[in-house]
Amino acid sequence: GAGVSQSPRYKVAKRGQDVALRCDPISGHVSLFWYQQALGQGPEFLTYFQNEAQLDKSGLPSDRFFAERPEGSVSTLKIQRTQQEDSAVYLCASSPKGRVSGNTIYFGEGSWLTVV
Amino acid sequence: AQKITQTQPGMFVQEKEAVTLDCTYDTSDPSYGLFWYKQPSSGEMIFLIYQGSYDQQNATEGRYSLNFQKARKSANLVISASQLGDSAMYFCAMREGDTSGTYKYIFGTGTRLKVLA
């Protein structure tokens, strides 16, 4: 499709398990964002890429969270040794330019992670 | 301090009526953007409307309009002629630093709107 694609859509992980969440941005989009949305809350910023460069990772909650975008397109968010508090929807978004101006970024439908 | 405040956890509106969803924000950056997103149960964040801090006129997009009051730091969303399909969660968001190199969006906690038939 033409939109931001995320997989898996739903993931149930046992506590302590490692998970990897994938994001396929819109083709050619320079900027890519990851957000975490806990139940009943608004999304919170995790990290930002411009092409393959991770320019801002200030929102990653711990060193168990790692994100990469090695070729400047697909991105993976990895969570090691998952904890129950990691249960959330992880939203990926992309934007066509490096300098986001005016309008908006485009969100995927999210990966719903439940840690049991 | 919260940078985006949505004080209405839930709202009801009768079909075909207008509804206003409140949003106040806090920033010291003179350059910022304000956004409203709709999030249905499927989870996707759907862009509705954008207002730049330097825009002189209130933004409008079809049935959506943004009541931008800069001095009061408010950016309320007005939905006219509500439809049943408008039932969803609505988030106000702000993007600070249009002149800097990174663009972090800050979201409010959302307002759940239910349109009644």
Side-chain angles (χ1 to χ4, degrees), chain B residues 43-56:
Chain B
E44 185 180 4
M45 298 289 280
I46 301 169
F47 166 76
L48 296 179
I49 197 165
Y50 161 81
Q51 179 86 42
S53 59
Y54 295 120
D55 293 344
Q56 295 297 313

Side-chain angles (χ1 to χ4, degrees), chain A residues 33 35 37 58 102-104, chain B residues 35 37 39 47 103-105:
Chain A
F33 303 78
Y35 284 80
Q37 186 177 15
S58 61
N103 203 342
T104 187
Chain B
F35 302 80
Y37 286 87
Q39 188 177 46
F47 166 76
Y103 301 97
K104 192 180 301 185
Y105 286 67

Side-chain angles (χ1 to χ4, degrees), chain B residues 18-56:
Chain B
V19 63
T20 298
L21 306 183
D22 294 341
C23 173
T24 58
Y25 62 92
D26 183 31
T27 182
S28 57
D29 195 319
S31 177
Y32 54 90
L34 296 160
F35 302 80
W36 278 92
Y37 286 87
K38 172 183 178 181
Q39 188 177 46
S41 55
S42 61
E44 185 180 4
M45 298 289 280
I46 301 169
F47 166 76
L48 296 179
I49 197 165
Y50 161 81
Q51 179 86 42
S53 59
Y54 295 120
D55 293 344
Q56 295 297 313

Side-chain angles (χ1 to χ4, degrees), chain A residues 9 33 35 37 40-43 45 48 56 58 91 98-105 107-109 112, chain B residues 35 37 39 41-45 47 50 89 91 95 98-109:
Chain A
R9 283 279 283 137
F33 303 78
Y35 284 80
Q37 186 177 15
Q41 300 296 316
F45 172 83
Y48 163 66
D56 189 340
S58 61
L91 293 166
R99 288 181 64 84
V100 180
S101 61
N103 203 342
T104 187
I105 59 177
F107 284 87
E109 290 188 318
W112 299 58
Chain B
F35 302 80
Y37 286 87
Q39 188 177 46
S41 55
S42 61
E44 185 180 4
M45 298 289 280
F47 166 76
Y50 161 81
M89 197 75 169
F91 289 97
R95 184 188 70 223
D98 273 358
T99 57
S100 64
T102 61
Y103 301 97
K104 192 180 301 185
Y105 286 67
I106 303 162
F107 287 82
T109 52

Side-chain angles (χ1 to χ4, degrees), chain B residues 51-97:
Chain B
Q51 179 86 42
S53 59
Y54 295 120
D55 293 344
Q56 295 297 313
Q57 293 191 325
N58 287 346
T60 60
E61 291 282 352
R63 294 187 298 110
Y64 304 107
S65 60
L66 198 152
N67 184 1
F68 182 44
Q69 297 188 40
K70 197 169 183 177
R72 296 180 58 188
K73 293 189 175 179
S74 76
N76 298 341
L77 176 71
V78 180
I79 305 174
S80 63
S82 298
Q83 302 171 356
L84 295 178
D86 294 336
S87 294
M89 197 75 169
Y90 288 80
F91 289 97
C92 180
M94 176 172 64
R95 184 188 70 223
E96 293 177 306

